[in-house]
Amino acid sequence: MTDSEFSSRSHAAAFPASPTQAVVLAGGQGSRLRPYTDDRPKPMVEIPGTGMPIIGHQLAWLASEGVTDAVVSCGHLAEVLERWLAGASLPLRVTTVVESEPLGRGGGLKYAARHLPHPDRAWFATNGDVWTRFSLREMAAFHAERGATATLALARPRIPWGVVEINEYGHVLDFIEAPQSPYPVNAGVYVFGPEFAALLPDLGDHERTTFPRLARERRLAGFPLPQGAYWRAIDTVKDLTEAARELAAQGGS
């Protein structure tokens, strides 16, 4: 066996077969991103300096991680997103679905999952306002090792305020500008087993129903983003500005 063959087999053993299908929830209105979202849905807002909307970055990332098929769930100003997808040169196959009426996050996820090409296989999902880069293959392996029904990525974003460090006597020791949160947050990226879709509500929010149930049954796992992994939720105009600044600092990757 050659070194390259051994390396390839070792990699396959370390990271079992990863999902090749994904759902992108792209129906957000993005009211806090106005005026950028006056004429487009939130995932269609361009990251300054990249010439590409948020969803373009997401689809490129998913493809680089082995995803071949994505279902994009549209809502607000769906025709704008559908038009862009139809005209873009995409690195994977994309199917769009539009809710005829608002179903809530859980209901929307369930509706989109019905259009996956392989309903009997695991799948990724991501919120349409997240810009991130980390190994989905590692996350899928983490999910499989724990026998989880669902796994969510966990991020520790920086707190937008400066904090004050004090000792047990109440003396101020230091001022820390924008520290990392001591608590992990839902990063909006998921791995779901094939049985997960049936557990979703037809209408409503899965984070108030399905996730708590799975947590009680110890079937929900949390995957901490690797040290140094880039992650940002694009919720406000300030987030766009910060993303552009961080991109420039990284050399435009």
Side-chain angles (χ1 to χ4, degrees):
M1 182 184 298
T2 66
D3 289 344
S4 61
E5 288 173 333
F6 179 80
S7 176
S8 177
R9 292 190 182 184
S10 298
H11 181 82
F15 301 107
S18 187
T20 60
Q21 54 185 0
V23 167
V24 179
L25 295 175
Q29 294 189 22
S31 56
R32 290 190 292 168
L33 271 171
R34 289 177 177 158
Y36 294 99
T37 51
D38 285 345
D39 61 354
R40 68 197 62 195
K42 191 176 184 181
M44 279 300 298
V45 173
E46 182 182 314
I47 302 293
T50 69
M52 185 182 293
I54 299 168
I55 193 167
H57 292 281
Q58 286 192 325
L59 293 174
W61 171 53
L62 290 171
S64 73
E65 290 292 324
V67 174
T68 59
D69 294 89
V71 177
V72 177
S73 178
C74 310
H76 175 66
L77 295 174
E79 65 280 2
V80 177
L81 179 51
E82 289 182 307
R83 187 164 56 247
W84 183 84
L85 290 170
S89 178
L90 301 173
L92 71 178
R93 290 182 292 271
V94 173
T95 301
T96 58
V97 296
V98 183
E99 298 173 23
S100 57
E101 59 183 34
L103 300 174
R105 289 189 296 176
L109 194 59
K110 186 172 189 175
Y111 178 67
R114 293 192 187 113
H115 297 79
L116 289 168
H118 306 290
D120 58 337
R121 301 180 191 174
W123 45 293
F124 294 117
T126 180
N127 294 343
D129 59 356
V130 171
W131 189 23
T132 186
R133 287 292 185 277
F134 65 91
S135 174
L136 286 174
R137 292 179 176 88
E138 289 186 25
M139 184 177 176
F142 180 96
H143 169 86
E145 287 167 1
R146 281 147 188 81
T149 297
T151 298
L152 56 153
L154 302 176
R156 290 184 182 270
R158 293 199 172 276
I159 298 171
W161 309 284
V163 301
V164 179
E165 182 182 358
I166 61 173
N167 64 16
E168 64 271 27
Y169 303 109
H171 298 131
V172 173
L173 301 179
D174 200 0
F175 296 89
I176 305 171
E177 186 64 30
Q180 200 171 37
S181 169
Y183 300 103
V185 302
N186 182 349
V189 180
Y190 312 91
V191 184
F192 296 135
E195 70 277 23
F196 178 76
L199 304 176
L200 287 164
D202 293 321
L203 183 67
D205 188 350
H206 60 291
E207 294 192 10
R208 297 180 180 275
T209 55
T210 310
F211 277 179
R213 171 186 168 185
L214 291 176
R216 290 192 298 270
E217 297 171 355
R218 299 296 186 268
R219 296 162 63 195
L220 181 66
F223 173 75
L225 294 191
Q227 184 71 25
Y230 184 80
W231 179 88
R232 178 174 286 278
I234 308 296
D235 291 320
T236 66
V237 174
K238 182 179 179 182
D239 289 325
L240 277 178
T241 303
E242 290 294 313
R245 181 184 61 79
E246 291 159 355
L247 181 68
Q250 293 171 14
S253 61

